[in-house]
Amino acid sequence: MPYADGDEQDVIDRLRASGRLVLSLVAIMDAEVVGHIAFSNALLSDSHDPWLALGPVSVTPNHQRSGIGSALINKGLEIIEKQGAPGCILTGNPDYYQRFGFKLAPDNVPANESELYFMVKAFTPTPPRGIFRFDEAFYYDL
Ligand SMILES: CC(C)(COP(=O)(O)OP(=O)(O)OC[C@H]1O[C@@H](n2cnc3c(N)ncnc32)[C@H](O)[C@@H]1OP(=O)(O)O)[C@@H](O)C(=O)NCCC(=O)NCCS
């Protein structure tokens, strides 16, 4: 994907190793893990609000397009909203993520991210003010 680095599995390892994998959900079918979603902290400039970042999310190829990704995303968003996050950010395909209420957010796009793929979903009517930053695990340079 144009917005993907191809190292998403390493990002999850780095988040887990650093203790900053805030929320990790798996989908299980017939005792087999068929999907996973990760959430980590998102930093908003000039703010201590506990925004979170969604991703990576993945479903094994032979189980894609059967609703598992949507279930992981909806359940994850439900949990972080209940836990008090003001909202969630991600980098991804707008055609997919807009159905979950994410909107392009060119005013808040992190440095080195594309405003064509950076999206925000606020759980409150107040939109975020400032520039976001993903966890450093996303920027590790091998
Ligand atoms: C993206 C992904 C997690 C979606 O999970 P899924 O279980 O296949 O998705 P769902 O069954 O819940 O939703 C299917 C819908 O999403 C759409 N869709 C799936 N992947 C998409 C993508 N990359 N871009 C746009 N739309 C996508 C399908 O067209 C389908 O749309 P429809 O309902 O209108 O037919 C899964 O396809 C995947 O693992 N892809 C490879 C990894 C990846 O790209 N992850 C995202 C970036 S980290």
Side-chain angles (χ1 to χ4, degrees), residues 1 56-59 64-70 93 96-97 99:
M1 298 294 171
V57 54
S58 59
V59 174
Q64 288 178 6
R65 304 203 167 202
S66 61
I68 296 170
S70 298
N93 186 335
Y96 184 59
Y97 289 104
R99 71 189 67 186

Side-chain angles (χ1 to χ4, degrees), residues 42-73:
L43 303 176
L44 179 59
S45 60
D46 302 325
S47 163
H48 294 291
D49 291 348
W51 283 77
L52 290 180
L54 184 162
V57 54
S58 59
V59 174
T60 50
N62 55 339
H63 288 97
Q64 288 178 6
R65 304 203 167 202
S66 61
I68 296 170
S70 298
L72 286 166
I73 292 166

